[in-house]
Amino acid sequence: MKILLLGKNGQVGQALERALAPLAGSGELVALDRSSGGDLASLQALAETVRQLRPQVIVNAAAYTAVDKAESEPEQARLINALAPEVLAKEAQALGAWLVHYSTDYVFDGSGTRPWLETDATAPINVYGQTKLEGERLIQAHCTRHLILRTSWVYAAHGSNFAKTMLKLAQERERLTVIDDQWGAPTGAELLATVTTAAIGQVSRAGSDSLAGLYHLAAGGETTWHQYASHVIGRAKALRPDFPWAVQDIAPVPSSAFVTAARRPHNSRLDTRKLQAAFGINLPGWQQGVDEMLAQVLTSTPSK
Ligand code: NDP
């Protein structure tokens, strides 16, 4: 199977490059970043790249993910998160290829406490969420064979994310204040890559077009940023008691304690039953992947 992966250097992109290689098998996995022909800001060049490579599957892990910066760069965010996916959708349609794309819990307004269903009304409260939602709609409008996977709170051993920031701050500060009124599920890039690979394996079989659609894909369970930080730091201290931990107190605070350019939803819970049923996949609790990531990050770091 010939697979084109875009955004190979991101958290999810790196995990996908490893996971997709065996699936591509004797076909070919072409993994690009913005400097190797996969620049999503150059729409014409992007279309040309797809036309030349003629993949059977396009996996788009590239995105404009700077949530606060997007408030002051809405056109750039829209270009990467909506207009480039539209180009990919049209090119995939012309080839009869599958397009796999990632979206976000930020398409919702965060009201209520119930996990969001794929059929729930969207109402993004920031520019990033608006551009990601537009990207979803353009893909749905232009490409029949699409999988749009909405996820939340992504982390990986490589790249920048909340868990790694907490590990750093816990060695620098005695007191941390962490938001306790936003709920969601931390989801590992490794889990996203594993599930994506399994889903592509299923949809690429003949007669699987009915699996096309929008799915919620997040780890199981729910937590707040405060509980998540407490879990990460507690686990890290147990794994590496030799590290110079400074933190004594992890204090819960409301979202209003932090002033950010972009508003964030309070309720980011995603109901994943549709995906689990359609693909026969069981999603593990969020702690499992976090603990694996911590073991990877911390055991490869020498003590100070
Ligand atoms: P990252 O920020 O880790 O990776 C995004 C990648 O996109 C980077 O490698 C970046 O390249 C690349 N990129 C940005 N602009 C361009 C461009 N113009 N051309 C080519 N590549 C570009 O994001 P994640 O891996 O965490 O996110 C993967 C997907 O999951 C995205 O669709 C995101 O919207 C979604 N998602 C992420 C969440 C999160 O918490 N991170 C939560 C919910 C959904 P470079 O390194 O060169 O900047």
Side-chain angles (χ1 to χ4, degrees), residues 7 9-13 34 38-41 61-63 65 80 102-105 128 132 151-154:
N9 295 331
Q11 297 190 90
V12 177
R34 70 169 95 209
D39 185 358
L40 269 68
T65 55
I80 310 305
Y102 301 90
S103 189
T104 171
D105 53 286
Y128 168 75
K132 294 293 292 185
T151 190
S152 63
W153 299 17
V154 176

Side-chain angles (χ1 to χ4, degrees), residues 23 31 70 74 83 94 147 151 155 158-159 176 192 195 197 239 250 265 267:
L23 188 64
L83 304 185
L147 291 179
T151 190
Y155 66 85
H158 304 282
L176 301 182
L192 291 169
V195 173
T197 304
L239 273 171
I250 307 169
N267 177 19

Side-chain angles (χ1 to χ4, degrees), residues 3-131:
I3 304 175
L4 169 60
L5 169 64
L6 296 157
K8 75 182 177 94
N9 295 331
Q11 297 190 90
V12 177
Q14 286 194 27
L16 279 167
E17 187 169 8
R18 288 189 293 275
L20 290 172
L23 188 64
S26 54
E28 197 186 344
L29 172 62
V30 180
L32 303 178
D33 59 18
R34 70 169 95 209
S35 60
S36 56
D39 185 358
L40 269 68
S42 306
L43 300 183
Q44 190 56 40
L46 186 65
E48 289 298 331
T49 298
V50 179
R51 278 176 213 167
Q52 275 173 20
L53 290 169
R54 303 186 62 77
Q56 289 149 295
V57 181
I58 301 170
V59 184
N60 179 30
Y64 185 107
T65 55
V67 174
D68 288 312
K69 207 170 159 197
E71 297 294 312
S72 55
E73 288 188 351
E75 288 309 317
Q76 186 66 11
R78 180 168 185 257
L79 177 62
I80 310 305
N81 290 345
L83 304 185
E86 179 184 29
V87 166
L88 295 174
K90 288 179 174 171
E91 296 303 322
Q93 183 73 8
L95 293 171
W98 281 87
L99 173 59
V100 183
H101 179 79
Y102 301 90
S103 189
T104 171
D105 53 286
Y106 282 21
V107 299
F108 296 112
D109 65 7
S111 59
T113 56
R114 180 177 64 73
W116 296 102
L117 292 164
E118 289 82 351
T119 46
D120 283 332
T122 51
I125 57 173
N126 58 41
V127 168
Y128 168 75
Q130 286 159 10
T131 62

Side-chain angles (χ1 to χ4, degrees), residues 155-214:
Y155 66 85
H158 304 282
S160 306
N161 54 64
F162 174 83
K164 290 177 73 183
T165 302
M166 289 302 116
L167 288 178
K168 182 168 173 288
L169 292 179
Q171 295 174 65
E172 295 172 359
R173 298 186 193 171
E174 285 189 8
R175 184 167 193 270
L176 301 182
T177 52
V178 188
I179 289 169
D180 77 339
D181 60 1
Q182 292 175 21
W183 290 83
T187 302
E190 295 295 335
L191 179 65
L192 291 169
T194 304
V195 173
T196 299
T197 304
I200 293 173
Q202 291 191 40
V203 299
S204 57
R205 287 187 206 117
S208 300
D209 283 11
S210 60
L211 286 171
L214 169 68

